[in-house]
Amino acid sequence: MNIKQLYYLTDIAKTHSLNMSAQRLYTSQQAISYEIKKLEQELGITLLSRKKTGVTLTNNGEKTLIFAKETLKGLEDLKASFVQDCTNNVHRPVTLQVVTSPLCGISIFKDFFVKFNKHFPYVKLIAKEIPESVILEKGHEIK
């Protein structure tokens, strides 16, 4: 079971349509159907009653929906607490390294760095210009 499956289930309960949920969640109907079938297999139950007129939740689907909503609410509460911690400056220092090639240059990011620093003052930004060949060769290993 994963969070994406729970989001899919809650949206299907609202729309009664895999197609409409796919559009709303910026994915394909096949992807949603696949994830819901995986969840059904994992739980050993049928969550949806699929008909030509749309999709409805089974009794087990309704029970799972309650769990999904509670879980997603808990996740949102957790995220909100992190935002609150950051707003109250209760956080640990973070360093973010931005690497660009001399061709692109760091100067084009100047406005971004200023705005970023205003919103995230606890994040230390390190900007480096490194030749393209080194970036391509070393990638994530650059220090």
Side-chain angles (χ1 to χ4, degrees):
M1 179 181 306
N2 64 51
I3 299 299
K4 182 177 18 174
Q5 292 167 334
L6 301 181
Y7 276 117
Y8 288 172
L9 183 66
T10 56
D11 200 77
I12 292 167
K14 291 175 191 170
T15 64
H16 302 285
S17 166
L18 295 176
N19 252 347
M20 192 177 296
S21 287
Q23 289 173 5
R24 289 167 40 108
L25 299 171
Y26 303 102
T27 190
S28 69
Q29 179 269 327
Q30 293 85 355
I32 288 182
S33 184
Y34 174 77
E35 289 296 332
I36 294 298
K37 284 181 183 175
K38 275 182 27 182
L39 182 57
E40 287 176 326
Q41 289 172 352
E42 182 180 341
L43 297 174
I45 59 174
T46 302
L47 298 169
L48 304 177
S49 174
R50 297 161 174 90
K51 299 176 184 168
K52 290 182 181 182
T53 57
V55 181
T56 57
L57 296 176
T58 62
N59 287 339
N60 286 330
E62 293 287 347
K63 290 177 188 174
T64 307
L65 178 63
I66 293 167
F67 167 81
K69 286 180 177 180
E70 289 173 357
T71 302
L72 294 174
K73 170 80 170 89
L75 180 62
E76 291 304 316
D77 291 348
L78 180 63
K79 286 179 184 178
S81 77
F82 292 143
V83 169
Q84 186 63 38
D85 286 350
C86 289
T87 336
N88 294 333
N89 292 324
V90 179
H91 49 73
R92 57 190 165 113
V94 176
T95 301
L96 176 65
Q97 179 173 285
V98 178
V99 176
T100 183
S101 70
L103 178 64
C104 187
I106 290 175
S107 60
I108 66 168
F109 294 107
K110 181 184 171 200
D111 291 338
F112 166 78
F113 290 146
V114 170
K115 289 178 183 175
F116 186 91
N117 197 14
K118 282 182 184 177
H119 290 287
F120 305 100
Y122 54 89
V123 177
K124 178 182 176 185
L125 277 174
I126 299 173
K128 291 183 179 181
E129 283 187 351
I130 298 178
E132 293 90 346
S133 59
V134 175
I135 294 172
L136 293 172
E137 182 181 320
K138 303 275 183 179
H140 66 281
E141 298 171 5
I142 296 173
K143 302 222 186 258

